[in-house]
Amino acid sequence: MCAKKFNAYFDPANFFFGQSRKRAAAKYDTDDGTNEESGYYSSSHQSGSDTSDAPLRFIIIRHGERVDVMFGAGWSQRAFDQNGRYYPFDTNMPPSLPHRTNWLDYDVDTPLTAKGLSQSWNVGNVLHRYNLPVTACYSSPAFRSIQTADRILEGMGRKGHVALRLELGLFECTSWYARSPINFMPDSELINGGYNIDTRYRSQTSDLRLLENEYQYYDRSKETMKKIIKLHRKTGGTVLLVAHAPSLEVLTRHLMNGQPRPERLAELAGKVDFCSMTVVERESSVKPWQFRYSLDEQANQGIWQQHLQLQHSNSASIPSKTPTPTTATTAPAPASSTPAAYQPPLTFTNYLAKPVNPTPQLQFFGQQEAFPPYFVL
C-alpha cells in the first residue's frame, strides 16, 4: 500500500515530455542577465563582458551511511511499534527520529545510521579546520541528505547561521524509485524535529518527471545547477550541495564540458562512498570551472599547476581502474610515483563521538575516467 502513494512532488503527468505543473515561483531573484551555464560544451566561457561577479565554490557531497543499507529492507518493522514509537535495536541505529505522519515512509526515505551522523559531523569539522565557511546550503529533500547537511553545518558551527534550502532538483533519478515511490517529509515535520529549514526558499525545480531516465536526470541536474549558480553569481562564496552518489557526476559534468554518459551512471555512482565530496570552483563567470585537488589553498594551487603540466604532456600513461587515495593534510606533498595505500574511513562506535587527536584525515581520490576527483573521510 505504501509503495502506491505518491508525494505531491511527483507528478505522473510529467512522464510525458513537455507537460509540466508549476509550483510557486522562487522568492529569490535569479538574476536573469547572467551566464546561462548552458550546454555540455559551452558552460565555461559563455558569458562575455561582465566580470563583476565574485569567486564561487561548490562543495558537492553524498549523504552519510544510511540505515537500510546496514540493516536491510523492512528495518522499520523492527524499529517502530504499532503506534509509531521508535525504538533503536542496535547501537548503530540513530538515537532518535522526528515524528512522521506515516512512519512507514522511513522505509524508502531512510535516515542515517549513528555512524552516518558522526561521519557528517566530522566532515563539517574538517571543512571548518580548512577555513571553508559555507555561506549557503542546499539539500536534496531525501531525509538522509537533510540529516547530513544538518550535521555538517553543526560540525562547522554554522547550523544556526545557515538554513537548509530543500531543492527538489538535487534528488536522484526517479526511475530508480519506480517500485517504491518516495514521500518526502514536509517542512513542518522537519522543523518540529529540530532542523533549520529555510521556509522562504522555493525549489528551483518545480516538480519531478515520473520515471525519468538517466539522460533526463543529467539534464535536470544541469538545469538545477544553472539556476543555483545564478542565485550566487553576484555574492559568490562557498555553497554546500548535499545530495546523492550520482550527484558528484551529474552536477559537474557539464561544467567541465563533458557529455552525459547515462549508460555508465550507475557504475560510476557505485564507486562513491558515503560522505564523499567533490569541490568545484571558479574565479568569475569568464573563468573556467576547476576541480579542487586539496582543501588547502596553497597546496591546491601547486597540485593544479602540476595537473595542467600533465595535461599538456605527451606521456601515454594509463590510469588505474581502481582509484588510489592520498591523505589530504594542511600541506600535502606532491603526488609521488608510489601511491599511498588505501586506509578505510575513520569510524565511531558512539554516535555522540566527536573527533579528538588524532583528528580525522580526508582521503583524496584523483580523477579517474573523467570522474570528478573527490575527498572522503
Side-chain angles (χ1 to χ4, degrees):
M1 181 179 298
C2 178
K4 295 182 179 179
K5 294 171 56 182
F6 287 85
N7 186 286
Y9 285 122
F10 286 96
D11 184 358
N14 287 340
F15 179 77
F16 301 100
F17 290 103
Q19 299 184 12
S20 176
R21 174 180 54 82
K22 300 296 183 183
R23 295 178 63 196
K27 295 186 179 180
Y28 290 86
D29 181 14
T30 57
D31 187 18
D32 289 334
T34 65
N35 177 4
E36 287 298 323
E37 303 292 342
S38 61
Y40 282 93
Y41 282 116
S42 56
S43 63
S44 298
H45 304 285
Q46 209 171 27
S47 128
S49 56
D50 188 1
T51 59
S52 62
D53 49 316
L56 182 59
R57 175 189 298 122
F58 287 98
I59 301 174
I60 304 170
I61 187 166
R62 185 192 181 189
H63 56 77
E65 183 182 85
R66 47 192 287 179
V67 167
D68 57 347
V69 169
M70 302 309 298
F71 298 101
W75 65 271
S76 64
Q77 303 292 334
R78 301 171 58 193
F80 290 89
D81 66 15
Q82 59 184 0
N83 296 315
R85 287 189 293 262
Y86 173 67
Y87 297 97
F89 56 81
D90 187 274
T91 55
N92 195 28
M93 294 288 292
S96 63
L97 288 173
H99 170 75
R100 203 161 187 166
T101 302
N102 184 354
W103 55 267
L104 289 173
D105 288 337
Y106 274 126
D107 267 339
V108 180
D109 192 19
T110 184
L112 299 182
T113 63
K115 176 184 171 182
L117 294 170
S118 289
Q119 285 175 326
S120 305
W121 192 96
N122 286 321
V123 166
N125 184 256
V126 168
L127 293 174
H128 173 72
R129 289 193 287 112
Y130 279 99
N131 193 28
L132 293 171
V134 166
T135 54
C137 178
Y138 296 82
S139 173
S140 160
F143 184 57
R144 56 190 180 275
S145 298
I146 296 171
Q147 284 186 298
T148 301
D150 178 77
R151 292 304 293 262
I152 289 175
L153 292 173
E154 183 180 335
M156 284 184 168
R158 301 282 291 163
K159 178 175 178 176
H161 303 281
V162 178
L164 303 182
R165 298 177 178 180
L166 303 187
E167 177 51 57
L168 187 62
L170 295 178
F171 186 59
E172 283 187 294
C173 184
T174 59
S175 62
W176 296 359
Y177 291 78
R179 294 185 178 182
S180 301
I182 190 170
N183 293 308
F184 301 127
M185 289 183 71
D187 290 355
S188 57
E189 291 183 347
L190 291 167
I191 292 171
N192 289 338
Y195 294 93
N196 183 15
I197 304 298
D198 186 347
T199 56
R200 298 179 303 145
Y201 180 75
R202 295 294 178 267
S203 174
Q204 300 298 302
T205 301
S206 60
D207 47 45
L208 293 178
R209 176 186 284 113
L210 184 65
L211 301 181
E212 67 183 351
N213 60 37
E214 284 80 358
Y215 188 91
Q216 292 164 343
Y217 175 38
Y218 267 99
D219 191 60
R220 186 241 299 172
S221 299
K222 181 189 72 171
E223 294 301 314
T224 299
M225 198 66 173
K226 284 168 51 179
K227 294 174 182 178
I228 295 177
I229 289 171
K230 282 186 178 182
L231 291 178
H232 297 277
R233 174 180 175 266
K234 291 183 177 179
T235 58
T238 299
V239 179
L240 179 65
L241 305 180
V242 184
H244 306 274
S247 302
L248 280 67
E249 161 81 1
V250 298
L251 293 175
T252 62
R253 185 69 173 164
H254 70 286
L255 298 180
M256 297 301 170
N257 300 320
Q259 283 286 359
R261 38 188 177 180
E263 72 286 347
R264 295 195 58 201
L265 185 58
E267 171 203 345
L268 294 169
K271 300 178 181 180
V272 180
D273 202 355
F274 296 118
C275 275
S276 296
M277 62 181 167
T278 192
V279 183
V280 62
E281 56 194 2
R282 72 177 183 189
E283 296 179 8
S284 72
S285 60
V286 297
K287 297 290 186 178
W289 289 97
Q290 299 177 356
F291 284 122
R292 193 147 185 167
Y293 293 88
S294 172
L295 296 185
D296 178 79
E297 184 66 35
Q298 293 183 348
N300 182 68
Q301 290 298 323
I303 297 172
W304 176 247
Q305 291 300 323
Q306 292 180 14
H307 180 71
L308 290 178
Q309 292 173 6
L310 288 174
Q311 279 186 328
H312 290 89
S313 68
N314 294 324
S315 59
S317 59
I318 301 175
S320 171
K321 293 184 179 180
T322 303
T324 303
T326 57
T327 302
T329 63
T330 55
S336 63
S337 58
T338 305
Y342 175 75
Q343 296 179 4
L346 186 64
T347 61
F348 292 89
T349 55
N350 186 337
Y351 74 92
L352 291 176
K354 299 293 188 289
V356 294
N357 292 327
T359 54
Q361 297 295 324
L362 286 176
Q363 306 291 330
F364 176 69
F365 292 79
Q367 196 165 10
Q368 300 286 336
E369 301 179 277
F371 189 80
Y374 61 95
F375 305 87
V376 64
L377 279 178

